[in-house]
Amino acid sequence: MKDYTIDITLSEARKEKPVAEQLQFGKTFTDHMFIMDYTEGKGWHDPRIVPYQPLILDPAAMVFHYGQSVFEGLKAYLTKDEAILLFRPDKNMERLNRSNDRLCIPRIDEEFAIEALKQLISVDRDWIPTAEGTSLYIRPFVISTEPFLGVAPSSRYQFIIILSPVGSYYKEGIHPVKIAVESEFVRAVLGGTGTAKTGGNYAASLKAQQVSNLKGYSQVLWLDGVERKYIEEVGSMNIFFKINGEVITPSLNGSILEGVTRNSIISLLKHWDIPIVERRISIDEVYEAYKEGVLEEAFGTGTAAVISPIGELFMKEEKLIINNSQTGELSKKLYDTLTGIQTGKDIDSFGWVVKVN
Ligand SMILES: *Cc1c(COP(=O)(O)O)cnc(C)c1O
């Protein structure tokens, strides 16, 4: 790990903390933030924790024009005995660097990034909500800041971490959502930026999301960009199907974002000796499985919701109702096990959980 010292300036005025029941996703931020600068020739420098504040950027800063930026998302939990736990933060920082590589952004020392994260969380530890299902959402991101309108990699960047207390994703317990199969728009293509967590991917997904919302669906199921046939992801989550006792998830094909939750679920299933395969799966195969009555469960996976069961899949002008629109047994078991490990309630036999304090 690089030997940096993080300069800390504490905020004089502390913000009022929201009450647990009113917490919404990503709307409230803590008292402090972490920032570090990159300058070509000098590398990453001046890591500091400062009061949460607006950024001052030149209107020509490259991030505003060509979108050279990346982000991550993970959570911290407070256990009953006041320990702060992170879930596999090394995986997020590894992925941050894979995203950086794809976007021509200089790499960040992964161990140092975790250290910076731990120090920031310690400073704002009073912000970690404690009610059932709540957590502190962590958003590390990198933006290009050089004032220049040329299309080229920026010579300056900022690496920033902000923290947001978030409520339970499922206010009334885990429940299935309605998904529409997207046949017009695509999220990503092989050779594009689908494997990177970069803003442009999400900007490109909004239109499909908006259209499906108007029809009463909460997210879309993305198909591949070439044949419009193979399943990629659901909304901004990875996807799993349980067909005739076997669990199937699309293999990482060069346009799918590799989720930490996806990876953890594959490990859990293997550990439980439940058949799990990573392979190409077409929408027709899912449709046929449904018609044969062997499509047992379908669910999305990601940090925010952990597991998001799919109760209805709209395709070919038909509504496929999966598992009576109820949360499946496996979905529930995965949700309980993963959240149990993340919150320190259950034993972590995989060595996934990292203590902050
Ligand atoms: C972040 C993300 C995921 C899920 O990743 P996790 O590490 O499990 O949170 C899946 N798909 C997309 C497109 C994402 O942005």
Side-chain angles (χ1 to χ4, degrees):
M1 177 166 92
K2 290 237 178 78
D3 187 21
Y4 301 105
T5 340
I6 302 175
D7 191 68
I8 301 179
T9 310
L10 294 178
S11 164
E12 277 170 24
R14 299 296 162 104
K15 293 184 271 196
E16 204 173 310
K17 296 182 182 61
V19 289
E21 303 75 52
Q22 280 162 21
L23 280 175
Q24 284 174 293
F25 183 83
K27 295 224 180 193
T28 314
F29 301 94
T30 64
D31 285 317
H32 299 87
M33 62 202 263
F34 171 84
I35 311 193
M36 189 175 196
D37 300 309
Y38 178 92
T39 314
E40 211 167 72
K42 198 170 170 188
W44 287 105
H45 59 92
D46 288 311
R48 56 207 184 269
I49 289 170
V50 294
Y52 189 93
Q53 59 193 277
L55 301 172
I56 295 177
L57 292 176
D58 193 290
M62 295 174 90
V63 67
F64 297 133
H65 306 278
Y66 312 120
Q68 193 194 8
S69 68
V70 298
F71 69 92
E72 267 305 323
L74 65 162
K75 285 172 172 175
Y77 303 85
L78 195 66
T79 67
K80 278 193 301 298
D81 32 4
E82 304 268 298
I84 303 168
L85 304 181
L86 296 170
F87 185 70
R88 311 186 77 184
D90 50 318
K91 285 264 166 206
N92 292 92
M93 295 312 174
E94 254 174 61
R95 186 171 65 192
L96 183 70
N97 270 337
R98 286 204 302 276
S99 300
N100 280 340
D101 287 343
R102 181 64 183 81
L103 273 290
C104 297
I105 294 173
R107 296 175 77 88
I108 291 168
D109 186 300
E110 291 166 24
E111 264 183 76
F112 176 71
I114 295 173
E115 180 54 33
L117 180 57
K118 287 181 175 175
Q119 288 200 27
L120 177 64
I121 294 172
S122 300
V123 168
D124 276 339
R125 63 170 296 141
D126 292 350
W127 280 89
I128 310 176
T130 52
E132 174 81 24
T134 62
S135 59
L136 187 69
Y137 183 79
I138 303 159
R139 171 53 59 89
F141 63 106
V142 185
I143 51 170
S144 47
T145 56
E146 183 191 351
F148 176 43
L149 296 183
V151 180
S154 174
S155 63
R156 287 196 232 155
Y157 300 88
Q158 284 192 315
F159 172 43
I160 302 170
I161 307 175
I162 53 175
L163 307 173
S164 172
V166 295
S168 176
Y169 195 86
Y170 296 107
K171 293 229 158 41
E172 286 102 36
I174 179 171
H175 65 85
V177 293
K178 291 181 178 185
I179 301 294
V181 176
E182 177 58 52
S183 51
E184 184 183 0
F185 303 107
V186 298
R187 190 193 85 90
V189 291
L190 181 63
T193 55
T195 58
K197 255 180 137 68
T198 182
N201 292 341
Y202 305 84
S205 75
L206 297 177
K207 190 72 191 175
Q209 163 89 16
Q210 190 180 49
V211 173
S212 75
N213 288 166
L214 289 173
K215 293 181 185 153
Y217 290 87
S218 66
Q219 298 282 347
V220 301
L221 184 140
W222 299 107
L223 299 178
D224 77 278
V226 179
E227 296 179 70
R228 311 287 182 99
K229 196 171 148 184
Y230 295 101
I231 294 166
E232 301 234 310
E233 301 200 47
V234 58
S236 48
M237 287 183 284
N238 295 117
I239 191 165
F240 288 75
F241 296 94
K242 181 164 171 262
I243 297 176
N244 213 0
E246 182 184 60
V247 184
I248 304 160
T249 191
S251 38
L252 301 172
N253 60 354
S255 49
I256 290 172
L257 195 287
E258 183 177 356
V260 179
T261 320
R262 175 188 182 278
N263 180 289
S264 309
I265 284 170
I266 293 172
S267 298
L268 276 176
L269 292 171
K270 286 183 177 162
H271 183 68
W272 293 335
D273 284 325
I274 294 174
I276 161 77
V277 285
E278 294 175 70
R279 65 164 169 86
R280 257 192 347 180
I281 176 167
S282 70
I283 193 67
D284 293 331
E285 182 180 342
V286 170
Y287 184 77
E288 272 150 39
Y290 176 79
K291 289 289 167 190
E292 287 164 20
V294 290
L295 174 57
E296 293 154 0
E297 294 185 38
F299 52 91
T301 70
T303 296
V306 186
I307 303 284
S308 179
I310 300 171
E312 178 183 324
L313 206 52
F314 182 70
M315 61 184 291
K316 306 186 185 197
E317 302 303 310
E318 216 179 305
K319 291 177 177 176
L320 316 190
I321 304 297
I322 304 171
N323 195 42
N324 267 327
S325 285
Q326 302 294 307
T327 299
E329 237 173 81
L330 182 66
S331 306
K332 181 82 174 70
K333 184 173 171 184
L334 284 166
Y335 179 80
D336 290 342
T337 308
L338 269 180
T339 53
I341 295 173
Q342 289 166 339
T343 54
K345 274 185 224 131
D346 295 340
I347 290 166
D348 166 27
S349 50
F350 296 89
W352 284 337
V353 158
V354 172
K355 260 194 178 183
V356 169
N357 44 345

